[in-house]
Amino acid sequence: MRKLLLQTILTGLLVQTAGAQTPDSLILRLRTINAAVTGPSPAPGKHLLLSNRALNLFLSEAAGYYLSSPDDLTLYKNSVVANAVEGTVAIYHNMKQPAGIDSSVRRFLSFGAQVNAGDAFNAADAGRRYNNQFGFLLKHTWIGNPHVTATPGQIRTMDALRAGILHSLEAKIRRRAAEQETALDSIDPVKDIPGQDPAKAKSIARRQLDANLEQEMELEYAHAQAETLAQTFNYTVMAFNWTSVSVYIPLITENFETAAAAGADPTTRHAYPLHLNLTHTRLWEGSRFGRLFATVAGDLQWNNSCDGYALLKAGDGYIGDYRSFLTPDLKAQLIYLPTNSHIGVSFLVKQAIGEVHATDAILGFPIVLINKKAEPAVNFEFQVRFYDLGHTIGPGTGFSGHTAVGLTVGVPFSKIAY
């Protein structure tokens, strides 16, 4: 009851001072956020330990320890993922903008492009024509409600640490506001803004400076909370989950030369590898056991006899009955990184269904490099890939072999979007 009364009073004061753009109004906004989180029973729509925006940042850091494919989650505005085995480079841009001062991220749309950049090197080495592929990527992601568990002692500790962060920022806000006013008072109307009304010019500058200070302090408050929790491990388990639906729309497609029989005139075929994906991931961040990702996914691809290894390979062409068909497949993946470790292990298994029914697997060793802010900056995954474990593909089809060594590189960049 006391907590609810405090929130009501702070909210009322905030409404009265809205538009005033004073240090006090900004401080009241931050106090309102803090009051909604404090204690063992957070306000509706809030969470234990962290404000909504701080929880967004904590999720971004936790999920950022694995970025190996375009279907993986990143909350940064932009990301690049390169796959050495497939020879592809994918670029994504997140369109979501923060909905408010302390809003949870729940869904967002991403778009990008993918190109088979590796074919240029292979073609030059083999002395053949380029076989370019290029297409658009579109992905929609839904993030479920996170679940935070902590002991009473951990909750009290985080309340105290968060209060310390808040009061430190209050002092900083007042100092910065005073510095801004000093700077505005030093403006010489004759030399600095000739021909302008000094009062109006200072008012415009003050509004911009106040807006910049507000954005900076709100983000700093959220970032300091997330960083403090990550450093002190004052939680038991932070559980997150998200679901994404993505589509790859080919624009420049792969071409094949096929003949119905040996000696017959070849025909140029144009593949159209339209690809749909549905992925669901759960992430458990434990203060004792580390990070555990569990993913299940389903793909649906417009496939063909050449890519499905159903035709005989003859030089640069193929012999046999060329057909196009749908290939669904199911995937499951586990990823584990110990506490305070930047190196982990992953295992993925994929089962194709239908005319192509090969079973593939990937054993990976993800490594994340962090920046000076202790945030994931570059993700590497060294992989051992196992193809067609059941040996369903026949000889002479151009199948490259059952084992390959690969590398993926994921780089999130620009600012965190939320």
Side-chain angles (χ1 to χ4, degrees):
M1 184 67 184
R2 181 175 177 273
K3 180 179 175 181
L4 181 61
L5 178 61
L6 177 60
Q7 287 179 239
T8 303
I9 293 172
L10 290 175
T11 303
L13 290 171
L14 178 60
V15 171
Q16 292 178 13
T17 57
Q21 295 297 328
T22 65
D24 289 337
S25 66
L26 176 54
I27 290 171
L28 279 174
R29 289 165 71 93
L30 298 182
R31 287 180 178 176
T32 302
I33 296 171
N34 186 69
V37 182
T38 301
S41 300
K46 300 293 181 178
H47 309 280
L48 285 174
L49 308 180
L50 297 176
S51 66
N52 287 332
R53 193 171 187 186
L55 200 61
N56 295 344
L57 297 174
F58 190 92
L59 169 60
S60 176
E61 190 270 341
Y65 268 67
Y66 191 80
L67 182 60
S68 185
S69 85
D71 296 320
D72 295 325
L73 176 69
T74 175
L75 298 187
Y76 281 78
K77 291 293 290 184
N78 302 292
S79 62
V80 176
V81 178
N83 188 314
V85 173
E86 298 174 2
T88 59
V89 177
I91 300 176
Y92 257 127
H93 174 73
N94 288 345
M95 299 181 65
K96 176 76 175 181
Q97 296 294 334
I101 178 176
D102 189 48
S103 59
S104 296
V105 56
R106 284 290 172 260
R107 59 183 179 271
F108 58 93
L109 184 68
S110 308
F111 71 92
Q114 179 173 291
V115 61
N116 69 327
D119 182 76
F121 299 99
N122 293 334
D125 184 63
R128 61 170 173 82
R129 297 178 59 185
Y130 296 124
N131 202 350
N132 299 314
Q133 298 177 58
F134 174 80
F136 282 144
L137 294 167
L138 189 65
K139 180 170 69 172
H140 199 286
T141 302
W142 295 266
I143 297 181
N145 290 320
H147 184 66
V148 181
T149 58
T151 66
Q154 290 171 333
I155 295 172
R156 289 192 295 268
T157 300
M158 274 306 298
D159 284 348
L161 293 172
R162 199 172 53 253
I165 294 169
L166 175 62
H167 288 288
S168 176
L169 282 181
E170 288 181 7
K172 185 174 183 178
I173 289 169
R174 295 189 189 280
R175 183 176 68 254
R176 289 281 300 277
E179 292 172 354
Q180 289 178 183
E181 286 302 315
T182 300
L184 291 173
D185 290 339
S186 66
I187 293 177
D188 187 325
V190 177
K191 295 181 179 179
D192 298 330
I193 47 173
Q196 296 190 48
D197 183 293
K200 289 184 178 180
K202 289 183 179 180
S203 177
I204 293 172
R206 182 178 291 107
R207 284 198 299 270
Q208 184 60 53
L209 290 171
D210 286 345
N212 293 343
L213 180 62
E214 180 181 356
Q215 292 180 6
E216 180 184 345
M217 293 299 102
E218 290 170 357
L219 178 58
E220 186 171 337
Y221 181 52
H223 187 274
Q225 292 179 66
E227 185 177 42
T228 299
L229 184 63
Q231 291 176 347
T232 61
F233 296 101
N234 279 298
Y235 59 92
T236 303
V237 176
M238 310 283 282
F240 304 94
N241 70 90
W242 59 89
T243 303
S244 65
V245 175
S246 63
V247 58
Y248 170 72
I249 304 172
L251 297 180
I252 300 175
T253 62
E254 188 177 12
N255 298 323
F256 302 105
E257 295 290 330
T258 69
D265 292 333
T267 301
T268 300
R269 308 287 187 174
H270 303 280
Y272 193 76
L274 181 70
H275 186 103
L276 299 174
N277 172 269
L278 172 64
T279 297
H280 178 75
T281 298
R282 291 185 175 271
L283 166 61
W284 294 272
E285 171 90 7
S287 58
R288 292 181 179 273
F289 62 79
R291 293 182 177 91
L292 177 64
F293 297 76
T295 297
V296 292
D299 292 329
L300 185 64
Q301 180 175 338
W302 189 243
N303 208 343
N304 60 77
S305 302
C306 294
D307 288 331
Y309 299 107
L311 304 182
L312 294 176
K313 189 80 167 64
D316 292 333
Y318 296 86
I319 298 174
D321 182 20
Y322 179 89
R323 292 180 302 106
S324 297
F325 49 87
L326 288 173
T327 297
D329 61 57
L330 300 175
K331 294 188 290 188
Q333 184 181 34
L334 289 175
I335 307 156
Y336 175 66
L337 293 99
T339 303
N340 279 333
S341 175
H342 299 155
I343 302 175
V345 62
S346 70
F347 183 74
L348 180 148
V349 61
K350 181 177 74 171
Q351 177 62 60
I353 303 170
E355 294 195 33
V356 176
H357 49 277
T359 303
D360 301 333
I362 300 175
L363 176 63
F365 300 94
I367 299 174
V368 60
L369 304 182
I370 60 174
N371 59 22
K372 61 183 180 180
K373 297 180 180 179
E375 299 167 340
V378 182
N379 302 78
F380 297 95
E381 184 173 34
F382 297 91
Q383 300 175 336
V384 181
R385 296 188 168 214
F386 306 94
Y387 297 105
D388 189 28
L389 296 176
H391 294 266
T392 62
I393 298 174
T397 58
F399 183 57
S400 300
H402 293 281
T403 308
V405 176
L407 171 68
T408 65
V409 181
V411 182
F413 60 98
S414 300
K415 63 182 180 179
I416 295 177
Y418 316 107

